[in-house]
């Protein structure tokens, strides 16, 4: 492998878990339940179970691979090592395009809660610039700010849930609506694909494998902790939203948690939800920029992205050129995209990324195996099913972007021969 200077190993289990937790909480609680309810109504609960199971399968594959290949790049590196350069490239490309869209979605979610009307896009761009600057100054700064953001978000969610359940409380009769599969299994599966967007934060831990201390022990543990906490939290919030608003209320409101709090007898807590949403989105955006920078670094080392992006800052030990470039691209997406389109597009790229991860983990030898092959097979099949049920526009845009990536690599390889 072509190596640029190595990154510094500065993260322990606690900080690595928080980076994954911060990514997942910000992505899902305040952004993904509305489109999931639009697709499936109360069936989003089944979609949530499906998304959590797929995430668990993918997490075990990522943990098993990360323990064997503790370097920056995540599944891009695993795919190259286990399956060959082309599968590795497709995984890396899927991660970069999918998570760049996800970062734009998080910035827009932050602005939706924090910006005055009409100023959403400028505020979202300002947030990207600020957090790219934080990442530029070292991974310990990233971990330190993430720690503060995650604690603030958990506190805000605790207040919000208490406010919703205070007074007369939600009506459990609303939870099932017309039934869990009244809208059909296609809608349920589509909601699972959209909610998977919310669980993908554990990938950030694997992509930062070159900066984790004792990676064979720390990475699997941190992934398990972060995913477990997130699953429980999402299940509680999903039931709460449906009980408070009903399926139609969740589907029809872009800020369902704030609406649920506002409808309760403790409406004074509504500003807490807005603050929590803004902070959660910032935490997710911070971790996304970090993970995108590391995957871009790994791809640039192999010339699958321009090699200039493989530079590591001599003082801060971060892939500074890659992070700045990613920040610019995110800002460009914010200028032209909408939130729901960004979520669906992100899910397409990330599901294909994990398809490669599951296949790569399936090929690992017995000495590197931590989990049964059945989990990897189930994860791979589920990724394909969820991709097929995403909104058609998301699938079309995803296919087009992968075509661009394949053409780019083919031209580069032809130029080198």
């Amino acid at each position: 492998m072509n190596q640029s200077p190595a990154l510094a190993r500065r993260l322990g289990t606690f900080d690595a878990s928080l980076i994954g937790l911060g990514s997942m909480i910000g992505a899902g609680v305040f952004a993904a339940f509305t489109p999931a309810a639009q697709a499936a109504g109360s069936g989003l609960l089944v979609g949530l179970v499906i998304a959590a199971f797929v995430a668990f399968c993918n997490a075990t594959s990522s943990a098993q691979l990360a323990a064997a290949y503790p370097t920056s790049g995540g599944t891009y590196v695993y795919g190259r090592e286990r399956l060959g350069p082309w599968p590795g490239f497709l995984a890396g490309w899927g991660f970069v395009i999918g998570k760049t869209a996800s970062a734009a979605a998080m910035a827009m979610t932050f602005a939706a809660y924090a910006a005055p009307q009409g100023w959403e896009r400028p505020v979202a761009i300002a947030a990207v610039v600020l957090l790219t600057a934080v990442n530029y100054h070292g991974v310990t700064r990233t971990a330190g700010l993430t720690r503060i953001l995650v604690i603030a978000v958990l506190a805000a969610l605790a207040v919000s849930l208490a406010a919703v359940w205070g007074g007369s409380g939600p009506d459990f009769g609303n939870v099932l609506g017309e039934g869990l599969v009244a809208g059909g299994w296609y809608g349920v599966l589509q909601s699972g694909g959209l909610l998977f967007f919310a669980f993908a934060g554990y990938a950030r831990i694997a992509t930062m494998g070159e900066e984790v201390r004792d990676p064979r022990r720390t990475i699997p543990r941190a992934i398990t902790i972060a995913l477990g906490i997130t699953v429980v939290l999402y299940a509680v919030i999903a039931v709460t939203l449906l009980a408070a608003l009903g399926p139609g209320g969740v589907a029809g409101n872009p800020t369902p948690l704030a609406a649920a709090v506002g409808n309760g007898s403790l409406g004074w807590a509504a500003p807490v939800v807005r603050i929590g949403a803004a902070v959660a989105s910032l935490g997710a955006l911070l971790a996304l920029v970090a993970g995108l920078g590391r995957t871009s670094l790994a791809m640039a080392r192999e010339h699958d992205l321009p090699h200039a992006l493989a530079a590591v800052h001599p003082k801060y030990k971060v892939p500074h050129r890659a992070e700045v470039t990613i920040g610019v691209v995110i800002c460009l997406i914010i200028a032209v995209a909408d939130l729901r389109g960004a979520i669906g597009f992100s899910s397409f790229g990330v599901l294909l990324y994990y398809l490669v991860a599951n296949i790569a983990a399936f090929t690992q030898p017995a000495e590197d195996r931590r989990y049964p092959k059945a989990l990897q097979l189930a994860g791979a099949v589920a990724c394909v099913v969820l991709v097929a049920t995403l909104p058609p526009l998301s699938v079309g845009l995803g296919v087009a972007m992968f075509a661009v990536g394949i053409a780019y690599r083919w031209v580069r390889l032809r130029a080198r021969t």
Side-chain angles (χ1 to χ4, degrees):
M1 179 182 290
N2 296 320
Q3 291 288 339
S4 63
L7 303 178
R9 295 194 182 277
R10 294 171 174 165
L11 300 178
T13 300
F14 182 73
D15 284 330
S17 299
L18 280 179
I19 286 174
L21 189 60
S23 302
M24 288 185 278
I25 291 176
V29 172
F30 303 103
F33 283 114
T34 294
Q38 291 169 348
S42 294
L44 73 85
L45 293 175
V46 181
L48 183 64
V49 172
I50 293 170
F53 174 73
V54 177
F56 174 73
C57 293
N58 296 343
T60 57
S61 293
S62 294
Q64 181 173 293
L65 289 160
Y69 305 101
T71 187
S72 288
T75 299
Y76 169 71
V77 173
Y78 315 148
R80 286 185 64 92
E81 294 289 338
R82 302 301 315 167
L83 305 173
W86 268 108
F89 171 80
L90 293 175
W93 187 260
F95 182 88
V96 169
I97 64 170
K99 287 304 176 183
T100 300
S102 182
M106 285 302 95
M108 288 187 281
T109 300
F110 165 74
Y113 281 93
Q117 188 172 3
W119 286 83
E120 289 86 357
R121 292 188 194 274
V123 169
I125 290 172
V128 173
V129 173
L130 175 63
L131 296 187
T132 300
V134 172
N135 273 308
Y136 190 101
H137 285 83
V139 71
T140 52
R141 300 283 180 87
T142 301
L145 182 55
T146 298
R147 187 183 301 123
I148 295 170
L149 295 175
V150 169
I151 292 171
V153 171
L154 291 176
L157 287 173
V159 171
S160 301
L161 290 172
V164 174
W165 289 100
S168 59
D171 181 2
F172 271 110
N174 292 332
V175 174
L176 297 182
E178 297 179 357
L180 292 179
V181 292
W185 278 103
Y186 181 85
V188 169
L189 291 172
Q190 185 176 113
S191 75
L194 292 167
L195 287 168
F196 181 78
F197 162 86
F199 285 108
Y202 55 82
R204 229 73 67 245
I205 302 169
T207 59
M208 300 178 75
E210 197 171 320
E211 295 160 283
V212 172
R213 298 191 300 268
D214 189 12
R216 291 185 67 88
R217 172 177 171 271
T218 298
I219 293 174
R221 178 177 294 183
I223 287 175
T224 302
I225 292 171
L227 182 61
I229 293 173
T230 302
V231 169
V232 173
L233 184 62
Y234 282 1
V236 171
I237 291 174
V239 171
T240 298
L241 291 178
L242 288 170
L245 302 177
V250 179
N253 198 308
T255 56
L257 189 55
V261 172
N263 288 349
S265 58
L266 302 178
W268 58 264
V272 176
V273 180
R274 302 190 72 85
I275 294 170
V279 172
S281 301
L282 287 180
L285 178 59
L286 181 68
L288 282 164
V289 173
L292 282 162
R294 276 67 183 174
T295 299
S296 299
L297 167 72
M299 295 182 73
R301 283 172 169 171
E302 300 292 345
H303 298 272
D304 279 336
L305 288 177
H307 191 61
L309 300 182
V312 173
H313 196 283
K315 178 180 179 181
Y316 300 121
K317 301 299 182 183
V318 297
H320 58 296
R321 292 180 184 171
E323 288 188 343
V324 170
T325 302
I326 288 294
V328 171
V329 174
I330 294 170
C331 291
L332 292 174
I333 293 174
I334 291 170
V336 299
D338 66 86
L339 181 59
R340 183 176 182 180
I343 290 175
F345 182 66
S346 173
S347 292
F348 181 92
V350 176
L351 282 164
L352 289 182
Y353 172 88
Y354 283 116
L355 172 62
V356 175
N358 282 305
I359 296 172
F362 188 86
T363 69
Q364 286 186 275
E367 58 268 23
D368 288 335
R369 181 159 298 285
R370 293 166 176 255
Y371 305 98
K373 287 188 172 184
L375 282 178
Q376 289 126 41
L377 183 61
V381 172
C383 285
V384 174
V385 172
L386 292 184
V387 163
T389 59
L390 286 173
L393 179 61
S394 298
V395 174
L397 289 173
V399 170
M401 287 305 299
F402 270 92
V404 170
I406 290 169
Y408 163 77
R409 189 170 193 270
W410 182 80
V411 169
R412 183 188 63 78
L413 292 175
R414 292 278 294 179
R416 293 181 65 183
T417 56

